[in-house]
């Protein structure tokens, strides 16, 4: 039995284009890192990984 919704979800693709010349300031980077470190984690373990 075919499920149209599942077929559409499985067929979905996202294509993104990134500006290789874009940069952020050191203060913006520090704000992003500080905010990401405050994000909730599983079992409140407070582990984080930033890629």
């Amino acid at each position: 039995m075919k499920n149209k919704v599942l077929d559409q979800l499985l067929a979905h693709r996202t294509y993104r284009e990134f500006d290789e010349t874009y940069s952020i300031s050191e203060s913006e980077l520090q704000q992003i890192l500080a905010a990401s470190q405050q994000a909730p984690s599983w079992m409140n373990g407070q582990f984080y990984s930033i890629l």
Side-chain angles (χ1 to χ4, degrees):
M1 179 175 181
K2 295 272 283 176
N3 184 316
K4 290 181 183 181
V5 173
L6 290 178
D7 288 344
Q8 184 169 356
L9 289 172
L10 292 171
H12 175 75
R13 300 291 180 267
T14 300
Y15 298 95
R16 295 181 177 96
E17 292 184 26
F18 297 96
D19 181 357
E20 294 179 15
T21 62
Y22 182 81
S23 65
I24 61 173
S25 69
E26 183 65 28
S27 66
E28 289 173 316
L29 175 60
Q30 292 307 315
Q31 288 177 333
I32 292 168
L33 292 174
S36 64
Q37 291 170 350
Q38 296 300 316
S41 62
W42 181 78
M43 296 290 293
N44 203 27
Q46 301 302 315
F47 298 110
Y48 61 89
S49 180
I50 300 171
L51 303 174

